[in-house]
Amino acid sequence: MNTDRTSPKSQSLWRVPALWLMIGGPAVVGGASLATLVGALRNADPPVQERAVAPSADSMTPAVQARNHVAASSR
């Protein structure tokens, strides 16, 4: 009397849990990567135009003041 239900002959292939892990895991990852690709292509940001001129001294004033404040307070 053979009551072993885990033998490959007694189970159909789609009833083996390891098969669903081997097929389902990569299928989910593949679907997620395709969804990410479609979302990235549909909602692409426009390219940033580089400025050819250097920042002026006036625009750097807050950064310079903060740097000087930190340097003075750390003494």
Side-chain angles (χ1 to χ4, degrees):
M1 188 162 77
N2 187 3
T3 60
D4 184 18
R5 293 182 177 248
T6 59
S7 67
K9 292 181 181 180
S10 67
Q11 280 190 344
S12 299
L13 191 58
W14 60 84
R15 293 185 183 207
V16 178
L19 176 72
W20 291 109
L21 290 174
M22 291 174 59
I23 293 173
V28 168
V29 171
S33 66
L34 286 176
T36 303
L37 177 66
V38 168
L41 292 176
R42 285 187 180 173
N43 300 321
D45 292 334
V48 177
Q49 299 295 327
E50 295 290 330
R51 294 194 312 172
V53 295
S56 65
D58 291 337
S59 67
M60 296 300 288
T61 301
V64 171
Q65 287 175 348
R67 182 197 65 202
N68 293 340
H69 175 76
V70 170
S73 64
S74 65
R75 291 181 191 172

